Amino acid sequence: MAGGKMRKEKPSRAATNYHLQGGIPFHKSKGQHILKNPLLVDTIVQKAGIKSTDIILEIGPGTGNLTKKLLDAGKSVIAVELDPRMVLELQRRFQGPYSNRLKVIQGDVLKCDLPYFDICVANIPYQISSPLTFKLLSHRPAFRCAVIMFQREFAMRLVAQPGDNLYCRLSVNTQLLARVSHLLKVGKNNFRPPPKVDSSVVRIEPRKPLPPVNFKEWDGLIRLCFNRKNKTLGSIFRQKSVLSLLEKNYKTLQALQLSQKGSSEDTDIAKDVSVLVDANEDMNMEMEDGKEDEDLEMEDGDAGMEGSDFKDKVLGILKQGGFEEKRSSKLTQVDFLYLLSLFNKAGIHFS
């Protein structure tokens, strides 16, 4: 409901592309889908584990059906809403005692500076799922948990484990920063107007403290490994383009005599975490990863690298850690952290 770009509609569809909720037209093209099942609203509030002292961030309050339950459960609610019509409806609906405990921020949640909050509850436009997730995970001070409604396949990618078909770069990056668990599946008929896909509610708990890793380095490695997650790492790192890139980084860093620096020295968490965001993750579900590995295997492309000392150095690192015949789709967080440390200790960097 809140955040994301409100796309202009074609005039010919303006009269048919919305449903009425309390007299207000709701537009599917703007990601406006309101929960109409009161039992589901109660379940979401219950699973959020809200305390009476909690400050709650609600993203996409709409007309306030969930907002009312959140106000009853917590200390106060900060609601971020893009649509000015909904803002007026919230202000009209919550007067008197509620008005002192509800703060409404009109604007795009991706562009807003978010205040302190303990818990986030969100029913969002699915096209902003990835950037919003990482914006929340970069927020400081870290919140206790977020309970968010996502498109079901996106949610399944968030919680996917090594070996699962949906395990991907999104899974690895999110789970580096947080513990993620699936709470419940929500059918499309629980919304008005109904979306085209089913949804899922996910609980996200930021890790405290964050792993001591340089996020730019981490992202460089993960992007490389998951470009073709079903290929062996030995095959990926034998490619001429990969070796050329890594050797360029290696020589540049050696020339500058830069020592390795960990993320513990970085101060701008939001900037660091932002490198993990892939805005295309929401709509582009990496369908090519579902292909059989035989279709993914390509020529190594290392014809010009015969006898290369650097190539031997890279492959030696893979052999040292036992990674040469392993595939990204089966590696854990610990595996990737160990692999990154081996490369960095050898002076090979990915950013």
Side-chain angles (χ1 to χ4, degrees), residues 12 21 29-30 55 61 65 73 85 91 97 106 116 126 163 186-187 189 191 204 211 232 246 257 264 295 300 325 334:
S12 60
Q21 174 80 10
S29 65
K30 298 172 182 176
I55 298 173
N65 293 339
R85 301 170 305 154
Q91 292 172 341
Q106 181 181 339
Y116 172 87
Y126 294 147
V186 181
N189 292 328
F191 297 88
I204 300 174
T232 64
L246 295 181
Q257 296 182 339
S264 59
D295 297 331
D300 287 343
E325 297 302 320
V334 173

Side-chain angles (χ1 to χ4, degrees), residues 225-236:
C225 291
F226 277 92
N227 185 44
R228 283 292 184 266
K229 71 177 184 180
N230 290 320
K231 293 184 67 175
T232 64
L233 293 183
S235 178
I236 291 174

